[in-house]
Amino acid sequence: MLSTQLCYGKRLIIVEPADPAVSNDESSDEEDDDVADPDFIPLIHNLDTPCPCDMGPSAKRTCVRPAVEELEDEDNSDENEDEDQPAPQAKSHTKKGKPAARLTTWKKVDLDNQALLEYQHFPADFIDTPYNYFSRYFSPLVIKHITYQTNLYATQKDVNTTFTTTEDEMMTFIGILLYMGISELPSIDDYWAMETRVPQVANLMSSKRFRLMRKLVHFNDNTQIPGTIDRFFKVRPLFSLLVNAFRSEPQTPKQYVDAVMVAYNGKRADKRRQYVKNKPGQWGFKLFARASADGFIHDLVLYQGKTTLEAYDVPMTSEQQAMCVTSQIVSVLASTMSSSTTTAIFADNFFTSLEKVRYLKDKNCRNTWTARENRIGKPPLKSIKEMEKRGVPHCMQDYVTSDTLVYCTPIKSKRWYMQLFAYAIDVSLTNAWIMYRRDCKALAVDGLSLKNFQIQVFRSCSSQRPVMSNPQRSSSFQCTPSTSVDVPKPVRGHRSHTPHASERFDMSLFHAPVYTNRQTCKHCSKKGNILRSNVVCRVCKVHLCLNADRNCFVKYHEVTGLEL
């Protein structure tokens, strides 16, 4: 058996905790750093005598390195001489460059907090139009900024370009994007194609012009990029304008902080693209949001790594800078609230931190969060397994998030920031609808659904009257036939519109001639012999001759052996 006197002579080394009463230190779960311990005493042993460090790799050994205090004894007979003297204090060991962890004392106390005040909404005297709600956030100032930056980018890309756009055209472009979110098709070309043409979109802007607008729309000056630390420089002015408008709206007493993912599967975003396992869109841009209980987003922080809060427009205090990243995000989002004393913040275990709780408590702001075991300093509570065995109920708090917006604006582009532009439109529209619903509830008025609200905003953006469809009705219905026909415009190089046989020869439908603009006759025109007519069938939507010389209208609808 190996004795201490064999290795060290009469010198006795006793290793014990510096303060046995303190065992629940917050930093106990953190990894060790590589800084050498100045109080570490290396073990020296006789080379002829085996030591644990000389054992083979298969031997079991445990390495323990607690804070130590050293007691020297010159002679074994003097062991009891120093019993009445106080023990020397051991030196504490903390990480270099970081303050020592604050000691946490846990105690059971019954909270006697007053209930939060109910949110009282003070609406206007009347319900405004959906477009006016939307323009509170996507204001004329935002449209003017986008228009200016788009024209500037077009000039920077090609000095000799003749492209120029106006604020009205930019608003129409945004209106088209809103309608595409309601009536989404597999491809952008389908909105202008003959078989799947959508007149609400195709009548406002040509396909070529829409593609050019989508290619050149811009939000910041590219010449200012060198030297910036902001990875979201290209969309920063847009989000700054929107967030400033969001903050001005009244907030509910219950505020929620959570991460929001803007889905993006491209490869051009570099480190901006993040992966979050439990989100609907696992790959995309991560944003931290503060929202009210009804889902109104008041503040947004675009995550970009270490420089996230450096690019944020709210400066941090020295107290906030000493916190961990998640606590900094919560504290910064809380600093933009209208009143912290009458507000309670809710967050999930991603933001669990005792320093965050202390900071909010000093600000007289209530907060509730789900605990993560390795971040709360091991309080004297039952373990999760014990709670699950005893059937302890989970605390649930419902709130609305913007991870899954109902009608998302579809923008497929190689430019990564276009997906954030689409999200900016969607969150502005959703916030506008929430404010509209607050007013309707306060005035006891039945409001529009989100889809109908979005359609009304689209009509105002595009300055378009409601488009009346022309359904094919049976002759048994007594109704006044329409005097106009929405005939698809012919496209050079494309086959002209041809109705289906079941529609063409169905005499129960009201095949009536309607006078319109002059186009090629579908029945008698051939290559080298083109004949045109001003008459169109209101059901088949094709031009047919109807005059004293030719009656193609009747012949086109007659069933012959060739059609059978």
Side-chain angles (χ1 to χ4, degrees), residues 309-433:
L309 297 177
E310 294 181 21
Y312 194 59
D313 59 352
V314 176
M316 291 192 300
T317 62
S318 58
E319 182 182 3
Q320 292 174 320
Q321 293 176 355
M323 297 179 180
C324 63
V325 177
T326 54
S327 298
Q328 287 179 349
I329 292 172
V330 175
S331 64
V332 167
L333 290 175
S335 63
T336 60
M337 295 189 305
S338 58
S339 176
S340 60
T341 57
T342 59
T343 306
I345 296 180
F346 297 83
D348 60 12
N349 60 7
F350 178 77
F351 302 94
T352 300
S353 172
L354 293 179
E355 60 184 357
K356 176 203 70 175
V357 176
R358 297 186 184 107
Y359 175 83
L360 295 177
K361 182 180 179 181
D362 294 340
K363 303 296 181 182
N364 295 324
C365 180
R366 305 183 194 178
N367 60 96
T368 302
W369 38 273
T370 54
R372 184 175 291 189
E373 287 184 303
N374 60 348
R375 292 189 184 180
I376 55 178
K378 298 180 181 179
L381 298 175
K382 296 179 181 177
S383 64
I384 295 178
K385 292 183 179 180
E386 292 178 355
M387 293 182 182
E388 290 177 349
K389 288 181 180 179
R390 297 194 177 189
V392 178
H394 295 271
C395 179
M396 301 294 293
Q397 179 66 38
D398 296 332
Y399 62 98
V400 183
T401 62
S402 62
D403 282 325
T404 54
L405 296 173
V406 180
Y407 305 104
C408 297
T409 301
I411 293 185
K412 296 180 180 180
S413 176
K414 293 182 179 180
R415 298 186 292 167
W416 58 265
Y417 49 90
M418 291 300 292
Q419 203 65 34
L420 289 171
F421 171 53
Y423 177 77
I425 297 176
D426 294 336
V427 72
S428 299
L429 182 79
T430 305
N431 278 355
W433 179 70

Side-chain angles (χ1 to χ4, degrees), residues 279-553:
K279 291 294 182 180
Q282 296 179 349
W283 282 101
F285 305 104
K286 183 192 290 185
L287 289 75
F288 296 103
R290 176 175 61 84
S292 290
D294 54 4
F296 189 98
I297 293 181
H298 295 274
D299 205 349
L300 287 168
V301 175
L302 282 71
Y303 178 75
Q304 59 179 21
K306 294 182 179 179
T307 58
T308 297
L309 297 177
E310 294 181 21
Y312 194 59
D313 59 352
V314 176
M316 291 192 300
T317 62
S318 58
E319 182 182 3
Q320 292 174 320
Q321 293 176 355
M323 297 179 180
C324 63
V325 177
T326 54
S327 298
Q328 287 179 349
I329 292 172
V330 175
S331 64
V332 167
L333 290 175
S335 63
T336 60
M337 295 189 305
S338 58
S339 176
S340 60
T341 57
T342 59
T343 306
I345 296 180
F346 297 83
D348 60 12
N349 60 7
F350 178 77
F351 302 94
T352 300
S353 172
L354 293 179
E355 60 184 357
K356 176 203 70 175
V357 176
R358 297 186 184 107
Y359 175 83
L360 295 177
K361 182 180 179 181
D362 294 340
K363 303 296 181 182
N364 295 324
C365 180
R366 305 183 194 178
N367 60 96
T368 302
W369 38 273
T370 54
R372 184 175 291 189
E373 287 184 303
N374 60 348
R375 292 189 184 180
I376 55 178
K378 298 180 181 179
L381 298 175
K382 296 179 181 177
S383 64
I384 295 178
K385 292 183 179 180
E386 292 178 355
M387 293 182 182
E388 290 177 349
K389 288 181 180 179
R390 297 194 177 189
V392 178
H394 295 271
C395 179
M396 301 294 293
Q397 179 66 38
D398 296 332
Y399 62 98
V400 183
T401 62
S402 62
D403 282 325
T404 54
L405 296 173
V406 180
Y407 305 104
C408 297
T409 301
I411 293 185
K412 296 180 180 180
S413 176
K414 293 182 179 180
R415 298 186 292 167
W416 58 265
Y417 49 90
M418 291 300 292
Q419 203 65 34
L420 289 171
F421 171 53
Y423 177 77
I425 297 176
D426 294 336
V427 72
S428 299
L429 182 79
T430 305
N431 278 355
W433 179 70
I434 292 173
M435 292 302 300
Y436 165 78
R437 296 288 294 183
R438 287 183 183 180
D439 290 346
C440 291
K441 182 178 179 180
L443 297 175
V445 178
D446 293 335
L448 298 172
S449 63
L450 179 59
K451 182 183 72 173
N452 293 330
F453 183 88
Q454 190 165 339
I455 291 175
Q456 294 298 326
V457 174
F458 155 72
R459 289 173 176 171
S460 300
C461 289
S462 59
S463 301
Q464 176 180 317
R465 296 180 180 179
V467 178
M468 301 300 295
S469 60
N470 296 314
Q472 301 169 0
R473 298 181 179 179
S474 174
S475 58
S476 61
F477 290 95
Q478 296 180 359
C479 59
T480 304
S482 175
T483 58
S484 62
V485 180
D486 185 17
V487 181
K489 295 182 180 179
V491 179
R492 185 180 296 275
H494 290 258
R495 187 180 298 275
S496 61
H497 169 66
T498 302
H500 195 268
S502 60
E503 181 182 64
R504 173 181 172 183
F505 301 112
D506 188 0
M507 292 298 103
S508 64
L509 303 178
F510 190 69
H511 293 273
V514 179
Y515 188 86
T516 181
N517 57 333
R518 191 175 181 84
Q519 289 189 22
T520 304
C521 178
K522 183 67 175 178
H523 181 69
C524 63
S525 293
K526 297 180 181 179
K527 187 175 181 180
N529 185 22
I530 304 298
L531 299 176
R532 294 179 172 81
S533 174
N534 293 96
V535 176
V536 63
C537 176
R538 64 177 300 274
V539 175
C540 301
K541 298 181 181 180
V542 294
H543 284 72
L544 300 167
C545 295
L546 184 60
N547 51 45
D549 299 330
R550 298 180 303 279
N551 193 347
C552 298
F553 190 90

